[in-house]
């Protein structure tokens, strides 16, 4: 185990009717003037927003609202929220929605007290952000989609419309102070959104599981594998019965624990898959989970020889492949194939040609996207299991074809 630090300050309030506690949770953290941030009008039509507002009213809080967050949240909406928050002297931001809403709320929270352009926190030069936030507004979450783990993570991802650039800001100031998680709020999700969420959850622990450390870390290996197995088992259940409370609850908790840092304790995360996918969904406005379903297996096929022991563990412990010490590569590749089969069973594409949004990708676009991938280091490379340069990234896109 490598030297590390771990903190997870987000309080998870889990269970039926948990959203009715929202006002009290904000008041406990000295909030008084709240910006409620959300996506579509469905949160109003479902009655959720009314229940949340009633809890704020009972707690003696005042609020303003800003809706309209889109998937792959836009920088322009964050600018709008910053202006509104400053004008209304907001002291607390409440995200009611999934990862896109939460990430947008984080951008607003960092931007309100910042004198410069909030995009400075997301944009980078030679692998380093142009600026690092030193203060942010407190954020709470009422979660409606288990997927990104943003309800407990330090990360925020935004898309700047100009140039179709999708970039991230990782900073502990981004961690929400609480997340309300009522599994019943996810019962009505379309199967496609549920499936994308499950892939996203699985990917966050996969980024930590496939580490460059050769000595291993048996505890966090097993924590990651628990997340994987939960996604596999509950994913299959929810495709058959979307109103299975226990499966929804397990997936919701897995979302938070997969991306709050727990499964990465003492190991180096890779994160190349996410960086490669960000260019794909930034360019084609593709659902992040769908993009990951195409990119993750391609990345695995490209790098598995770098630490084949981990890929053998994944194949045998998670995907149920029988071990064959004489043919380890066959075992590793069968594990990847079965993972692809699981994604397909969820109704997700595993090839870029499987969805109309990305069928037009050609060699020139692959080169452009590979060139745009945000570098993690000054030498222009990304990833830790295998350090990938521009030509490696392009080859992974080609494998995803």
């Amino acid at each position: 185990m490598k030297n590390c630090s771990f903190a997870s300050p987000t309080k998870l309030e889990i269970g039926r009717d948990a959203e009715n506690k929202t006002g009290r949770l904000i008041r406990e953290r000295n909030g008084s003037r709240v910006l409620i941030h959300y996506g579509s009008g469905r949160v109003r039509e479902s009655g959720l927003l009314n229940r949340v507002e009633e809890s704020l009213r009972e707690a003696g809080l005042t609020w303003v609202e800003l809706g309209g967050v889109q998937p792959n949240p836009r920088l322009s909406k964050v600018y709008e929220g910053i202006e509104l928050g400053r004008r209304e002297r907001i002291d607390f931001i409440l995200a009611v929605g999934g990862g896109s809403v939460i990430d947008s709320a984080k951008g607003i929270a960092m931007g309100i007290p910042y004198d410069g352009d909030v995009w400075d926190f997301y944009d980078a030069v030679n692998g380093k952000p142009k600026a690092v936030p030193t203060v942010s507004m407190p954020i709470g979450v009422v979660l409606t989609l288990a997927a990104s783990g943003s309800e407990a993570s330090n990360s925020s991802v935004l898309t700047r419309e100009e140039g179709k650039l999708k970039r991230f800001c990782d900073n502990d100031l981004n961690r929400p102070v609480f997340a309300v998680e009522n599994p019943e709020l996810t019962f009505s999700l379309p199967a496609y959104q549920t499936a994308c969420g499950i892939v996203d959850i699985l990917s966050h622990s996969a980024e930590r599981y496939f580490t460059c450390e050769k000595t291993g870390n048996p505890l966090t290996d097993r924590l990651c594998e628990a997340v994987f197995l939960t996604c596999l088992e509950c994913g299959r259940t929810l495709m058959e019965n979307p109103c299975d409370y226990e499966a929804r609850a397990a997936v919701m908790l897995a979302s938070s624990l997969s991306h709050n840092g727990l499964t990465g304790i003492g190991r180096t995360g890779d994160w190349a898959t996410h960086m490669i996918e960000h260019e794909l969904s930034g360019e084609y406005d593709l659902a992040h989970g769908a993009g990951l379903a195409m990119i993750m297996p391609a990345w695995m096929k490209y790098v598995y020889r770098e630490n084949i022991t981990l890929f053998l563990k994944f194949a045998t412990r998670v995907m149920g492949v029988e071990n064959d010490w004489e043919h380890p590569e066959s075992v590793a590749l069968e594990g990847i194939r079965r993972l692809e089969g699981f994604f397909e069973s969820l109704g997700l594409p595993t090839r870029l040609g499987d969805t109309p949004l990305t069928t037009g990708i050609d060699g020139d676009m692959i080169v452009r996207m590979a060139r745009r991938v945000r570098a993690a280091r000054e030498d222009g490379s990304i990833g830790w299991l295998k350090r990938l340069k521009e030509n490696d990234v392009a080859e992974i896109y080609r494998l995803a074809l």
Side-chain angles (χ1 to χ4, degrees):
M1 180 184 291
K2 60 176 287 192
N3 293 350
C4 60
S5 62
F6 172 71
S8 183
T10 305
K11 179 178 181 178
L12 303 181
E13 193 71 47
I14 304 169
R16 293 181 174 90
D17 303 320
E19 65 271 19
N20 296 330
K21 302 177 183 180
T22 305
R24 174 174 59 79
L25 291 167
I26 296 173
R27 178 59 75 184
E28 287 174 356
R29 286 150 183 83
N30 300 314
S32 60
R33 298 179 64 83
V34 182
L35 170 60
I36 302 177
H37 199 37
Y38 62 93
S40 74
R42 286 194 297 272
V43 293
R44 174 72 69 189
E45 295 163 6
S46 69
L48 172 60
L49 201 53
N50 292 336
R51 296 195 299 277
V52 170
E53 289 172 343
E54 181 59 29
S55 77
L56 268 61
R57 187 176 294 108
E58 291 175 354
L61 307 175
T62 59
W63 67 89
V64 294
E65 298 176 2
L66 178 62
V69 178
Q70 298 174 260
N72 298 309
R74 309 304 202 260
L75 179 63
S76 59
K77 181 60 66 173
V78 169
Y79 287 150
E80 187 179 345
I82 292 170
E83 182 182 354
L84 176 61
R86 289 172 176 169
R87 186 171 67 246
E88 297 293 335
R89 294 178 287 115
I90 294 301
D91 60 22
F92 196 96
I93 299 175
L94 178 66
V96 181
S100 294
V101 173
I102 303 166
D103 283 3
S104 184
K106 289 176 178 180
I108 295 169
M110 289 186 288
I112 288 175
Y114 181 54
D115 289 336
D117 184 347
V118 70
W119 186 247
D120 293 343
F121 301 142
Y122 296 81
D123 203 6
V125 178
N126 295 326
K128 296 181 180 180
K130 291 181 177 178
V132 176
T134 58
V135 63
S136 187
M137 310 289 291
I139 304 166
V141 175
V142 177
L143 190 64
T144 64
L145 172 62
S148 74
S150 191
E151 69 275 4
S153 81
N154 69 349
S155 186
S156 170
V157 181
L158 296 178
T159 299
R160 190 184 74 182
E161 295 92 322
E162 181 186 355
K164 297 182 179 180
L165 293 179
K166 189 172 182 178
R167 297 291 183 263
F168 64 89
C169 171
D170 289 351
N171 189 289
D172 278 342
L173 291 172
N174 280 329
R175 294 187 188 272
V177 295
F178 69 78
V180 169
E181 302 187 359
N182 177 358
E184 292 180 331
L185 299 180
T186 65
F187 281 3
S188 62
L189 286 171
Y192 181 76
Q193 281 188 295
T194 298
C196 287
I198 287 166
V199 175
D200 203 358
I201 295 165
L202 188 152
S203 76
H204 287 144
S205 285
E207 295 281 19
R208 296 166 166 101
Y209 185 76
F210 295 107
T211 177
C212 59
E213 277 88 40
K214 301 296 185 182
T215 55
N217 186 338
L219 175 59
T220 45
D221 280 353
R222 292 298 193 180
L223 291 174
C224 290
E225 290 160 6
V227 170
F228 300 152
L229 291 169
T230 296
C231 289
L232 293 171
E233 294 167 9
C234 295
R236 294 183 181 110
T237 297
L238 292 174
M239 292 302 103
E240 298 292 329
N241 180 11
C243 295
D244 187 305
Y245 182 88
E246 295 303 329
R248 287 287 185 186
V251 168
M252 212 168 213
L253 184 57
S255 169
S256 300
L257 299 185
S258 188
H259 206 23
N260 72 346
L262 177 67
T263 58
I265 293 175
R267 56 202 305 147
T268 301
D270 186 81
W271 299 107
T273 299
H274 269 69
M275 292 182 180
I276 295 168
E277 196 290 322
H278 282 168
E279 295 308 317
L280 187 66
S281 53
E283 179 67 34
Y284 293 98
D285 207 18
L286 187 72
H288 182 50
L292 288 168
M294 294 183 278
I295 296 299
M296 195 188 319
W299 173 84
M300 288 177 162
K301 293 170 188 174
Y302 195 74
V303 306
Y304 73 92
R305 292 185 181 90
E306 301 296 320
N307 192 341
I308 197 166
T309 299
L310 270 177
F311 282 88
L312 286 172
K313 286 182 183 178
F314 178 78
T316 56
R317 293 180 179 181
V318 179
M319 302 312 303
V321 182
E322 185 177 352
N323 203 355
D324 182 349
W325 294 109
E326 294 183 0
H327 304 94
E329 289 202 18
S330 297
V331 175
L333 289 171
E334 176 62 15
I336 299 168
R337 190 195 67 76
R338 292 190 186 186
L339 180 65
E340 284 183 302
F342 171 66
F343 293 162
E344 290 166 358
S345 76
L346 298 179
L348 294 176
T350 57
R351 296 288 187 276
L352 293 174
D354 290 346
T355 172
L357 287 175
T358 55
T359 50
I361 290 180
D362 57 17
D364 289 341
M365 178 55 74
I366 284 174
V367 170
R368 286 198 295 273
M369 289 194 300
R371 189 171 294 139
R372 286 201 315 240
V373 169
R374 173 175 162 176
R377 288 174 288 271
E378 291 185 4
D379 66 358
S381 65
I382 63 170
W384 288 97
L385 178 59
K386 179 180 177 64
R387 292 198 175 194
L388 305 173
K389 294 290 191 70
E390 183 182 317
N391 62 317
D392 299 301
V393 172
E395 187 57 32
I396 289 170
Y397 283 130
R398 294 186 189 102
L399 279 173
L401 286 172

